[in-house]
Amino acid sequence: MRHLAMREPRITGRRALAAVAAGLIAAAGLGVNAQAAPAAPAPVPARPAAAPGHQGLALTPPMGFNNWNSTHCRDEFDESMVKGIADLFVERGLKDAGYEYVNLDDCWALPERDADGRLVPDPKRFPNGIGAVADYVHSKGLKFGIYTSAGTKTCSDIGFPGALGHEYGDARQFADWGVDYLKYDNCNNQGVDAKQRYTTMRDALAATGRPIVYSICEWGQNKPWEWAGELGQLWRTTGDISDSWSSMSSIMKANLALAPYAHPGGWNDPDMLEVGNGGMTDTEYRTHFSMWSVMAAPLLIGSDLRTAPESAFDILTNDEVIAVDQDPLGRQGEVVSSEGGRWVVSKELADGGRAVALFNEGSRAQRIETTARAVGLPQARGYAMRDLWKHSDAGTTGTIAATVPAHGTVLVRVAADRKWAQYPPAVDVSADGDTVTEAGRTERITSRVTDLGGSAAHSVRVALTGPEGWRVTPRSATSARALEPGGTLATDWDVTVPEGTSAGDRDLTLTARHRTRSGAWVTSAVPVTVRVGVPLPAGRTALSDAGPLSSSNGWGPVERDRSVGESQAGDGGPITVGGREFAKGLGVHAPSSVEYYLGGACSEVTAQVGVDDESGDRGSVAFEVWADGTRAASTGTVTHADPALAVLADVSGADVVRLVVTDAGDGVDYDHADWADLRVTCV
Ligand code: GLA
């Protein structure tokens, strides 16, 4: 995609969001309480066999490195970086873990071809030429990749030469340098049919006689999953990833819908990894890596390993997770369920087992549960289950369950196993989540420890600890001599929130410990979220003057009494819709969700909503107001051309009001949205 000064997040996950929005628009209209219709399942095409003529390339998803996500066109992208990565692949065990390709992205060439029409490596970045770098990479037993565009110029603003009309000469030059992998982008394509452009380069690569993995990068614009398997080994399915949770998770959801198209030698490509680049937490990066593996996605490291933190190496070299990605059956995981942001994705494996991802999209811990049968395993008395991040084994009679932290993923490998009962029992540790309360109050929370396996859990003990100053008192037994298979230790706790606690979510930690038959101690700790609200004053209050319970925003922070502006806090302008300025309100950017505590004491929320004038002639969004689990109001699509629209939502009796802005199904670019004059009436 084009790289203008980055004012906006890249479009991601159009398909997924479109599906959600379709349901919303159908139910649009103020005061409509209908729930969003579930997205219709994608039609399942016949599973294609690996197409002939691919020289057996990429029978498992390609693994390696590409500089783009960490350097873009900056100066540090040069020969010493590329050689340094190749060195680290060997020294740090990445080569042994399966990482093979060291790939250059855009900006390696000079803007002009030479007099003979040949591409010229940038002498500042690559003083010894590209062939020398390829030789170095090969000398390490690795493979080498390069980039160009199926257009007249590449995607960088500077515009390096593209291969349209030069396919055979450029492919020859790449082969002469020893290139093993070509990423072929889509910019400046002059409107020439995509299939035609990508076919010409396929033929040009074939004519070189050198096996070259062919990565088709047209961002999912022409449904490449339907035709690119005939041409190359992988095809991008979405716009560019960026190093943020919203980008990564929306790309993931779009790519999940394409599972039936993946096969050995032909892979859906949800773009390169961001692990190690610093814009997400380690929990989020583990989700990124787990889900890319369950989706059989190419694993191209996108961080500068010379400076990446140790935690990135720990994630990227988890060989049990890599084995899921590289499983020779070559299936992409399929979505089993996704209610409430509790995703269950199951990938069939060559050994008859399944890799099962329990992914929590929500911003608070949730228990996610499925069964061996639901994920596609045969009926059996019991199953062996291996946790691929904890590296531990357990047995289960069929329930697969875990409390998963916000934005986290538990990844297990499950298989029917006659020896299942000999494994330590799987133990499910959870508590009622999402208790909403106020400072000074005491709430009752019940925790549960359940033996899911085929043998007893011995000496079971459970503890709940709160943040500094919180009082937590057990009201029933906190230990059991033994839990028989199927048995549960349920414990009631009284949790007192200290006076003066400000609004927001707080995590307590529930720790359970038990001994297995072999005498080993097993400890698990899971978060339990308590939501602390501060009551609103009686009368009519501007919500931008109150502290939210939680807020999430697609671009920069939610702004009070300002538009969202750029990604820094406080950088917006006055809230303005259709030329009308408002003193109060929230400036947000889709996808956005802001929650306030009402404590059952408020009757209505009102606002004037619209796309902020700072979006110019772009941007379209949809607004929704949720009263606890009920949609109390929704607008349908609102565009930059619409004047401020009055919203009135009945929130009587609700504990929490949630203000949601979606992208209305067309991507999030320029979706600067305002909840202008946002007010609540309380008693
Ligand atoms: C496009 C691609 C990116 C990257 C850049 C380089 O945006 O989708 O992955 O290759 O071009 O300019």
Side-chain angles (χ1 to χ4, degrees):
M1 313 200 78
R2 278 198 71 69
H3 307 297
L4 306 168
M6 273 278 287
R7 276 203 68 227
E8 293 301 312
R10 291 305 182 75
I11 303 170
T12 51
R14 284 171 191 271
R15 283 171 59 90
L17 292 169
V20 173
L24 300 181
I25 292 161
L30 296 186
V32 175
N33 282 345
Q35 305 283 320
V44 180
R47 196 175 291 283
H54 284 168
Q55 300 141 317
L57 288 174
L59 295 179
T60 62
M63 293 176 64
F65 167 86
N66 173 300
N67 64 285
W68 182 254
N69 286 350
S70 68
T71 66
H72 284 204
C73 287
R74 287 189 304 275
D75 288 348
E76 69 255 34
F77 169 46
D78 65 4
E79 176 179 308
S80 76
M81 176 192 202
V82 180
K83 287 177 155 183
I85 299 293
D87 293 343
L88 285 168
F89 265 24
V90 175
E91 287 160 21
R92 297 298 312 266
L94 291 141
K95 181 184 170 198
D96 290 342
Y99 294 95
E100 185 178 21
Y101 293 94
V102 178
N103 297 349
L104 313 185
D105 208 282
D106 200 357
C107 308
W108 59 266
L110 284 181
E112 301 301 333
R113 293 171 180 271
D114 70 12
D116 301 325
R118 291 169 59 86
L119 297 161
V120 187
D122 180 340
K124 259 173 63 203
R125 295 185 197 268
F126 297 101
N128 301 300
I130 297 296
V133 190
D135 288 349
Y136 187 84
V137 170
H138 289 145
S139 75
K140 301 269 160 176
L142 298 165
K143 290 187 170 147
F144 179 73
I146 206 159
Y147 161 102
T148 189
S149 180
T152 47
K153 283 181 183 307
T154 65
C155 293
S156 137
D157 279 348
I158 302 165
F160 300 99
L164 190 63
H166 295 261
E167 291 87 350
Y168 283 81
D170 289 355
R172 186 68 258 159
Q173 206 175 344
F174 296 151
D176 290 345
W177 281 336
V179 163
D180 308 297
Y181 183 118
L182 172 66
K183 171 175 172 181
Y184 201 36
D185 213 336
N186 194 32
C187 287
N188 304 300
N189 59 46
Q190 311 304 321
V192 181
D193 174 68
K195 200 166 169 185
Q196 185 187 321
R197 286 180 290 119
Y198 285 93
T199 302
T200 308
M201 181 53 92
R202 189 271 315 261
D203 294 343
L205 291 173
T208 68
R210 187 177 172 87
I212 297 177
V213 168
Y214 185 27
S215 156
I216 290 167
C217 177
E218 59 76 89
W219 322 312
Q221 282 188 346
N222 304 280
K223 299 193 176 167
W225 43 89
E226 290 177 355
W227 49 266
E230 301 289 316
L231 305 178
Q233 288 72 46
L234 60 158
W235 48 86
R236 279 273 297 277
T237 55
T238 69
D240 289 6
I241 195 168
S242 63
D243 188 18
S244 72
W245 171 256
S246 63
S247 165
M248 187 275 287
S249 58
S250 60
I251 283 182
M252 173 208 301
K253 288 188 276 180
N255 195 68
L256 277 168
L258 301 171
Y261 298 95
H263 58 85
W267 309 103
N268 290 313
D269 175 7
D271 209 355
M272 302 172 290
L273 298 169
E274 293 284 2
V275 177
N277 282 331
M280 289 181 249
T281 65
D282 285 345
T283 298
E284 292 170 339
Y285 281 141
R286 275 191 293 274
T287 286
H288 183 13
F289 198 64
S290 300
M291 296 305 292
W292 259 235
S293 294
V294 155
M295 295 191 296
L299 298 179
L300 291 167
I301 296 171
S303 58
D304 186 345
L305 295 171
R306 298 170 306 167
T307 51
E310 264 322 290
S311 57
F313 286 91
D314 292 345
I315 294 169
L316 295 166
T317 59
N318 183 329
D319 50 7
E320 295 200 84
V321 179
I322 293 171
V324 170
D325 182 76
Q326 296 289 303
D327 186 79
L329 190 62
R331 292 283 164 87
Q332 175 172 331
E334 311 227 355
V335 177
V336 175
S337 51
S338 63
E339 286 77 42
R342 295 181 300 276
W343 292 75
V344 177
V345 182
S346 170
K347 180 183 201 276
E348 188 180 354
L349 302 172
D351 67 3
R354 301 276 166 159
V356 180
L358 307 176
F359 156 52
N360 178 7
E361 189 187 354
S363 50
R364 296 185 291 283
Q366 302 197 74
R367 179 174 179 275
I368 304 181
E369 176 181 353
T370 186
T371 65
R373 294 309 304 273
V375 302
L377 286 164
Q379 179 74 50
R381 292 188 58 201
Y383 304 83
M385 180 159 80
R386 181 158 176 87
D387 186 313
L388 304 186
W389 288 105
K390 288 188 183 155
H391 308 294
S392 61
D393 293 305
T396 173
T397 53
T399 300
I400 302 166
T403 297
V404 186
H407 294 182
T409 298
V410 167
L411 185 63
V412 292
R413 217 180 150 117
V414 193
D417 187 332
R418 256 178 286 142
K419 290 192 296 237
W420 69 283
Q422 288 166 31
Y423 291 110
V427 171
D428 175 15
V429 180
S430 70
D432 322 331
D434 286 6
T435 304
V436 184
T437 187
E438 292 175 17
R441 281 203 189 156
T442 298
E443 296 291 337
R444 176 64 57 90
I445 288 176
T446 304
S447 68
R448 283 180 191 80
V449 180
T450 302
D451 183 331
L452 304 175
S455 60
H458 299 277
S459 310
V460 182
R461 216 166 248 298
V462 65
L464 182 64
T465 49
E468 186 73 27
W470 288 47
R471 212 170 62 233
V472 181
T473 317
R475 294 296 177 203
S476 60
T478 57
S479 64
R481 179 121 36 97
L483 277 184
E484 293 307 320
T488 296
L489 168 65
T491 308
D492 290 333
W493 308 85
D494 280 343
V495 175
T496 308
V497 185
E499 294 288 355
T501 305
S502 59
D505 293 344
R506 302 292 191 299
D507 274 353
L508 287 73
T509 304
L510 177 67
T511 311
R513 209 166 80 119
H514 70 272
R515 218 162 23 82
T516 66
R517 199 156 44 185
S518 69
W521 285 100
V522 178
T523 305
S524 22
V526 301
V528 177
T529 308
V530 171
R531 321 199 65 201
V532 183
V534 174
L536 292 160
R540 211 153 167 259
T541 306
L543 274 173
S544 54
D545 292 338
L549 260 184
S550 73
S551 66
S552 69
N553 213 34
W555 181 240
V558 171
E559 302 281 2
R560 295 179 177 200
D561 305 331
R562 311 282 292 168
S563 65
V564 79
E566 297 299 316
S567 56
Q568 297 305 309
D571 62 359
I575 290 178
T576 314
V577 182
R580 215 172 131 196
E581 236 181 79
F582 297 85
K584 306 294 295 177
L586 298 181
V588 303
H589 194 297
S592 169
S593 166
V594 186
E595 291 178 303
Y596 289 92
Y597 177 68
L598 307 178
C602 305
S603 54
E604 64 180 36
V605 167
T606 57
Q608 304 281 329
V609 301
V611 174
D612 194 278
D613 286 3
E614 73 190 1
S615 287
D617 59 358
R618 285 167 287 197
S620 57
V621 297
F623 294 82
E624 300 166 23
V625 181
W626 290 76
D628 292 335
T630 305
R631 197 165 67 206
S634 62
T635 61
T637 302
V638 173
T639 77
H640 60 88
D642 294 317
L645 181 65
V647 167
L648 182 149
D650 178 357
V651 295
S652 316
D655 263 337
V656 175
V657 64
R658 189 162 86 249
L659 307 166
V660 173
V661 177
T662 74
D663 72 349
D666 65 350
V668 299
D669 273 12
Y670 292 92
D671 281 352
H672 297 226
D674 294 327
W675 294 94
D677 203 25
L678 173 66
R679 290 180 196 271
V680 63
T681 307
C682 304
V683 293

